[in-house]
Amino acid sequence: MAVFPWHSRNRNYKAEFASCRLEAVPLELGDYHPLKPITVTESKTKKVSRKGSTSSTSSSSSSSVVDPLSSVLDGTDPLSMFAATADPAGRAAVATDSSRKKRDRDENSVVGSDFEPWASKRGEILARYTTTEKLSINLFMGSEKGKAGTATSAMSEKVRTRLEELDDFEEGSQKELLNLTQQDYVNRIEELNQSLKDAWASDQKVKALKIVIQCSKLLSDTSVIQFYPSKFVLITDILDTFGKLVYERIFSMCVDNRSVLPDHFSPENVNDTAKETCLNWFFKIASIRELIPRFYVEASILKCNKFLSKTGISECLPRLTCIIRGIGDPLVSVYARAYLCRVGMEVAPHLKESLSKNFFDFLLTFKQIHGDTVQNQLVVQGVEMPSYLPLYSPAMDWIFQCISYHAPEALLTEMMERCKKLGNNALLLNSVMSAFRAEFIATRSMDFIGMIKECDESGFPKHLLFRSLGLNLALADPPEGDRLQILNEAWKVITKLKNPQDYINCAEVWVEYTCRHFTKREVNTVLADVIKHMTPDRAFEDSYPQLQSIIKKVISHFHDFSVLFSVEKFLPFLDMFQKESVRVEVCKCIMEVFIKHQQEPTKDPVILNALLHVCKTMHDSVNALTLEDEKRMLAYLINGFIRMVSFGRDFEQQLSFYVEARSMFCNLEPVLVQLIHNVNRLAMETRKVMKGNHSRKTAAFVRACVAYCFITIPSLVGIFARLNLYLHSGQVALANQCLSQADAFFKAAIGLIPEVPKMINIDGKMRPSDSFLLEFLCNFFSTLLIVPDHPEHGVLFLVRELLNVIQDYTWEDNSDDKIRIYTCVLHLLSAMGQETYLYHVDKVDSNDSLYGGDSKFLAENNKLCETVMAQILEHLKTLAKDEALKRQSSLGLSFFNSILAHGDLRNNRLNQLSVNLWHLAQRHGCADSRTMVKTLEYIKKRSKQPDMGHLTELALRLPLQTRT
């Protein structure tokens, strides 16, 4: 193709804007508004015709929005239709499953969400009650007799065989494993749980029962007494599994193809087969000889009484309560009572009388704890009473929680009075405070303090009692007149504690109470006392979780950071966090609270100095091993702080702060980016204050801001972060009449383009950089339109430099981005050839003012256009290959549209070029016919505008071709 000259079309931007503006339509108040909801009135007409009567019509209207999806389906749901065609057995199975899920929800909803479930306590118990001693366990050895019974058809023979299996189990078909570690023991229990499920799934019900009996027997063993609470948790998990399997098995027998058992069924709804199976299970359990396994297994299927009679559960609970009286060991006994309460709360939480009887029975046997039998056992195992008594806490807390749940005030008062009458009642008192409602405890705080003082210190430490009291006072407020006295009484005991671990466990709880009800003076006193107790022998190193908790409680109550940092001992308290990972976590907590609650920008020097120290601590923790997510989080917190610092009109102080911040946070790139943006914003605020007319002082200050950005940007790693900031900072410099500085930014950006890699990392994935570079260059071209030429560097020197860089840049072989960029350059040069530019920067003379339409300038501009056009046409020639024809068609049409928008088509050669491009786009049938038609329609429409008559002739020369 020959070289074609370029002639830019003269543009009247104001007239173009006016022609593109939407037509204003007057709208009366109260008429249609796009955000106003649409109300659809639907009329339904229904004709009813009966023999011997005339047709009657009934109509109804509803102001409801019609669902378009439902109307398309004509009221039929394809999923429902599919389910309707399913087989009856499948429907019954689905119905059984859905009814079971609904039943479980209903039963769980009997106890409200304010009741703490057993599952939430399970993990804490397993973590707290551990042992290093060796454990033993009896494993069930499977018998072959169980399989022989399945071959006989006679029911009596089957029953006899199963009874023989149970006898065989009780007579010693077991293997004792000795010298197990705690983890080995837990693994064995989990294996038994899985064995239970496998046996049940393979229809070996007797084997499943044997496993449950074997596990229940383990609960009578207290040879390693410190581990007993954890053992109870593990074994009762198996019992719960067994109870659920039995219940669901019997429930499934009540369902056939025709009916499903209702959610709240009565025994009359249960068929005889299910009842017989249920009775069979109870008879089997009743034949267990030993008391403890018989109690636990029957308790686990207590819910199955619902299949037999309405009063079955209410009759069984008192009987099971009486059975527990036969258990001699008080520790085993109290956990048995806890399990009965647990099952009772699941199946019949309304039966408070039975649960209360369980509790009062326990009070009668409470003195056994201090009896000779228990004392001798503790001597044999080498366990002290202060270590023994806390073993009762999980069971007793649970019993008290179950009984006190939604209990009337009178019952709670009676329970408290009974506890008072017992000697050595610290353990009971602790359970009362752990289980009763916080409001009940808080209103009687002074009474409880009196009872705590009277308790014997030897068995159960008083500081644990004060800790339990503090936990309640953190949830409910005591009478206002008692608050200071309560704190004084508690702290007298807490501050005398010699063991740092005991001290910090109590202090952590009471800090919450102090922050809620007192001023910074009292909080400062408490923090000073904590520092005094935890500093000797570096005791704080063993108590970081509690110290972190204290910090979180303090900052959650002091949202005014000027008050927080005026607490004298707050920063010394932070110095105790000497382990880096913990210190950083604490600093992150402080910054999160600051960002969340600091509403107004601050310049308070106390806050700034303290938080700079906190942010510096976070920043200095960054190293080569720090994860990117962690870096992002730290940068987000530091940026949140930087954004909240404002010195008002003292711009120089603000810039000094940013300079200091840059030196402190140089390892976090997002922070440096934020600082550059903030400094640019500071320069623009200065311009706004001066209304664009800088004085000598403000001009120097703005240049200082520009210098800050120019120095900081090269320290960034991200190539596109640097490019975009060079462009942004250059725009700010230009807006503030710093022309030489703006040129420096733009030159730096141009010089950086060759360094752009082919692939860049975006959110951990490598992606091609071409699209990002294209976007940046388009923004750059928009800025270059208004940048005036430097008097010493010639016409359009920045554009020339940029074109040279684009020409030398190595592009992908199959990429057309270079030509798209040249097309954008053509748009830029066309805009530069206008008499008046589309936009300007206030108080900056662009080239339209500097050259004033000078013919030499326009000639240079047109030369550049011709050079760019030659590059585009040359590239189009290289695409004349079969595999590239579609790309050639697309680029040809794009170039045609550019000439149509920006070129002067009255020039014959340019007009001919546009016709050639139109034919090129359609030559091989690769063009989109719809696009070509719309383009031609647009040309015809534009030809009717003033001074556009020449487009009529052009339209006649642009034929539409169809694919053949």
Side-chain angles (χ1 to χ4, degrees), residues 458-653:
S458 60
F460 199 91
K462 285 185 180 179
H463 69 268
L464 294 181
L465 298 176
F466 273 107
R467 185 178 189 278
S468 298
L469 179 61
L471 287 171
N472 282 282
L473 297 181
L475 300 173
D477 298 335
E480 190 170 350
D482 296 338
R483 291 175 184 174
L484 183 58
Q485 186 180 356
I486 291 169
L487 179 61
N488 288 333
E489 293 289 345
W491 211 259
K492 281 179 190 176
V493 176
I494 296 170
T495 195
K496 291 178 182 177
L497 294 173
K498 302 298 183 186
N499 186 311
Q501 203 61 40
D502 292 342
Y503 171 84
I504 197 63
N505 286 336
C506 283
E508 172 204 355
V509 171
W510 282 88
V511 163
E512 174 87 10
Y513 175 78
T514 310
C515 292
R516 278 168 66 99
H517 301 298
F518 299 98
T519 64
K520 68 175 186 177
R521 186 171 67 88
E522 287 79 10
V523 173
N524 189 63
T525 303
V526 170
L527 294 181
D529 196 59
V530 173
I531 295 170
K532 176 183 172 183
H533 279 78
M534 302 307 294
T535 304
D537 301 324
R538 300 177 68 84
F540 53 78
E541 292 182 344
D542 299 321
S543 306
Y544 283 137
Q546 293 91 333
L547 295 174
Q548 279 182 270
S549 176
I550 290 174
I551 283 289
K552 289 178 181 177
K553 289 171 182 176
V554 171
I555 62 178
S556 66
H557 286 87
F558 286 87
H559 296 159
D560 186 343
F561 274 68
S562 60
V563 175
L564 177 64
F565 290 124
S566 65
V567 176
E568 184 183 348
K569 295 297 180 181
F570 182 77
L571 291 178
F573 190 93
L574 289 181
D575 292 337
M576 286 196 292
F577 295 99
Q578 295 189 10
K579 185 178 179 182
E580 185 180 62
S581 59
V582 179
R583 185 168 67 248
V584 171
E585 285 301 317
V586 171
C587 291
K588 284 162 67 175
C589 290
I590 293 172
M591 293 311 303
E592 284 170 0
V593 173
F594 176 80
I595 292 171
K596 181 178 180 180
H597 295 287
Q598 185 72 23
Q599 302 295 328
E600 298 293 331
T602 182
K603 61 178 180 179
D604 188 325
V606 175
I607 296 178
L608 297 188
N609 289 332
L611 291 185
L612 275 174
H613 171 71
V614 169
C615 291
K616 186 74 166 67
T617 301
M618 295 192 298
H619 169 269
D620 292 347
S621 69
V622 175
N623 54 44
L625 301 178
T626 305
L627 298 175
E628 289 300 319
D629 284 346
E630 178 70 7
K631 289 182 182 178
R632 272 194 292 269
M633 182 63 185
L634 296 177
Y636 163 75
L637 295 173
I638 295 173
N639 285 341
F641 163 62
I642 290 172
R643 283 193 293 267
M644 293 307 297
V645 176
S646 174
F647 291 88
R649 288 291 184 88
D650 191 349
F651 293 160
E652 291 183 352
Q653 183 66 30

Side-chain angles (χ1 to χ4, degrees), residues 194-223:
Q194 188 58 45
S195 298
L196 167 65
K197 295 175 183 176
D198 294 342
W200 192 273
S202 59
D203 204 29
Q204 299 181 53
K205 304 295 189 295
V206 172
K207 181 180 178 181
L209 180 58
K210 287 179 180 181
I211 294 172
V212 175
I213 294 171
Q214 172 192 345
C215 293
S216 302
K217 282 186 174 182
L218 297 175
L219 291 174
S220 61
D221 176 25
T222 58
S223 56

Side-chain angles (χ1 to χ4, degrees), residues 641-680:
F641 163 62
I642 290 172
R643 283 193 293 267
M644 293 307 297
V645 176
S646 174
F647 291 88
R649 288 291 184 88
D650 191 349
F651 293 160
E652 291 183 352
Q653 183 66 30
Q654 189 81 36
L655 183 60
S656 298
F657 170 78
Y658 292 145
V659 170
E660 183 182 3
R662 180 179 61 186
S663 65
M664 295 178 74
F665 309 127
C666 56
N667 289 333
L668 289 172
E669 184 160 316
V671 178
L672 294 179
V673 171
Q674 179 69 45
L675 288 170
I676 293 168
H677 283 305
N678 283 17
V679 171
N680 279 327

Side-chain angles (χ1 to χ4, degrees), residues 334-463:
V334 76
Y335 276 93
R337 296 184 189 280
Y339 187 68
L340 187 59
C341 283
R342 181 170 140 199
V343 175
M345 284 299 288
E346 288 178 4
V347 300
H350 56 283
L351 297 177
K352 289 286 183 187
E353 290 184 9
S354 299
L355 298 177
S356 300
K357 183 181 179 184
N358 191 11
F359 166 72
F360 293 132
D361 262 14
F362 166 70
L363 290 184
L364 293 174
T365 60
F366 181 70
K367 293 180 181 179
Q368 287 181 320
I369 295 175
H370 302 279
D372 293 338
T373 306
V374 172
Q375 297 298 328
N376 294 336
Q377 184 185 12
L378 296 182
V379 170
V380 171
Q381 296 198 31
V383 178
E384 299 290 334
M385 186 60 75
S387 302
Y388 174 68
L389 287 180
L391 299 177
Y392 286 82
S393 293
M396 291 176 59
D397 291 352
W398 180 256
I399 294 171
F400 277 69
Q401 179 183 328
C402 293
I403 297 168
S404 62
Y405 180 67
H406 288 180
E409 197 87 358
L411 177 59
L412 298 179
T413 305
E414 180 187 356
M415 291 170 64
M416 200 173 84
E417 291 300 324
R418 290 210 183 189
C419 292
K420 276 185 185 179
K421 294 176 183 178
L422 293 173
N424 297 325
N425 65 346
L427 183 62
L428 284 171
L429 192 58
N430 187 65
S431 293
V432 166
M433 289 190 289
S434 299
F436 281 21
R437 292 191 296 272
E439 295 78 10
F440 180 88
I441 304 296
T443 54
R444 297 166 176 78
S445 299
M446 292 307 300
D447 293 340
F448 277 96
I449 286 177
M451 286 188 282
I452 292 172
K453 286 182 177 180
E454 295 172 5
C455 286
D456 183 9
E457 184 80 30
S458 60
F460 199 91
K462 285 185 180 179
H463 69 268

Side-chain angles (χ1 to χ4, degrees), residues 691-706:
K691 298 180 180 178
N693 298 310
H694 283 298
S695 64
R696 181 179 297 178
K697 183 178 180 181
T698 59
F701 174 77
V702 167
R703 285 195 293 273
C705 292
V706 170

Side-chain angles (χ1 to χ4, degrees), residues 784-785 796 799 828-834 837 847 857-858 861:
L784 288 179
L785 174 64
L796 303 178
V799 178
L828 167 65
L829 295 172
S830 175
M832 284 182 164
Q834 302 301 315
Y837 289 171
N847 286 340
F857 170 75
L858 294 177
N861 187 42

